[in-house]
């Protein structure tokens, strides 16, 4: 089933002379999406056709309401935590957690484990590399790119 398509034939703007198309397809029983696109590369004087298969990722919302404060433990064994009460920063941290993709792969091998406590919910932050980090709670496991902004806001040391 075609999910999306766009074509230069449908573009009446003379400034956009990209001469090609893009489409994204799904099929019942097939896990993922197939992207098919083509365009003319004027520098190489040739038409380029691209096919790409990508998985469909889901993000389960773990936090429904942005809390007034949250508590961050740099290490699970720490006695005390750093309390954040800046609404804008908390909102961004909640966004990172909610937008991380649900992960059903193997449990990660990580170097560091911190935690974010939001109300009665404890979310472990499993990290230690420059590429990805994981969130783990009673709900499940999520995967996120290790964004420097996340570490700056939480004070966790990557």
């Amino acid at each position: 089933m075609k999910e999306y398509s766009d074509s230069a034939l449908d573009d009446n703007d003379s400034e956009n002379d990209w001469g090609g198309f893009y489409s994204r397809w799904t099929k019942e029983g097939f896990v993922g999406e197939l992207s098919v696109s083509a365009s003319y590369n004027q520098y190489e004087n040739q038409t380029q056709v691209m096919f790409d298969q990508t998985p469909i990722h889901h993000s389960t919302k773990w936090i429904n309401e942005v809390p007034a404060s949250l508590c961050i433990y740099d290490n699970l064994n720490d006695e005390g935590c750093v309390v954040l009460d800046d609404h804008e920063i908390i909102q961004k941290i909640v966004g990172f957690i909610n937008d991380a993709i649900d992960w059903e792969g193997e449990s990660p091998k990580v170097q560091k484990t911190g935690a974010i406590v939001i109300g009665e919910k404890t979310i472990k932050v499993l990290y230690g590399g420059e590429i990805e980090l994981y969130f783990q709670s009673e709900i499940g496991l999520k995967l996120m790119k290790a964004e420097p902004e996340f570490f700056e806001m939480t004070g966790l040391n990557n």
Side-chain angles (χ1 to χ4, degrees):
M1 171 171 26
K2 182 171 62 172
E3 298 292 328
Y4 176 83
S5 66
D6 191 17
S7 170
L9 296 174
D10 299 330
D11 189 346
N12 295 325
D13 186 354
S14 61
E15 298 291 318
N16 289 340
D17 190 20
W18 56 284
F21 74 91
Y22 175 82
S23 62
R24 194 171 61 239
W25 302 79
T26 59
K27 179 180 176 183
E28 190 173 319
F30 175 75
V31 179
E33 291 181 326
L34 176 64
S35 299
V36 181
S37 63
S39 62
Y40 178 71
N41 183 332
Q42 64 183 356
Y43 301 108
E44 295 186 24
N45 195 27
Q46 65 182 2
T47 300
Q48 295 177 327
V49 179
M50 291 158 275
F51 298 89
D52 189 24
Q53 176 186 335
T54 56
I56 299 173
H57 297 292
H58 300 281
S59 295
T60 305
K61 190 173 186 179
W62 283 6
I63 305 163
N64 293 318
E65 294 181 24
V66 177
S69 66
L70 55 82
C71 196
I72 299 177
Y73 292 87
D74 191 41
N75 186 317
L76 283 179
N77 298 327
D78 288 351
E79 293 285 326
C81 68
V82 174
V83 177
L84 289 180
D85 57 5
D86 182 313
H87 182 74
E88 187 176 322
I89 291 176
I90 293 171
Q91 192 170 13
K92 288 181 181 179
I93 292 170
V94 167
F96 277 122
I97 294 168
N98 283 338
D99 292 344
I101 62 170
D102 298 342
W103 185 250
E104 295 181 16
E106 291 184 28
S107 290
K109 292 178 176 56
V110 297
Q111 299 166 357
K112 301 176 184 177
T113 304
I116 299 173
V117 178
I118 300 173
E120 298 295 316
K121 188 176 297 191
T122 299
I123 299 171
K124 291 181 185 176
V125 182
L126 312 168
Y127 63 102
E130 295 180 11
I131 299 172
E132 55 198 23
L133 65 83
Y134 297 84
F135 298 114
Q136 184 178 42
S137 75
E138 72 280 353
I139 299 169
L141 190 63
K142 292 180 134 214
L143 169 69
M144 179 183 109
K145 180 180 174 192
E147 297 283 351
E149 183 182 14
F150 175 79
F151 291 103
E152 289 169 15
M153 289 187 297
T154 60
L156 296 171
N157 300 313
N158 191 17

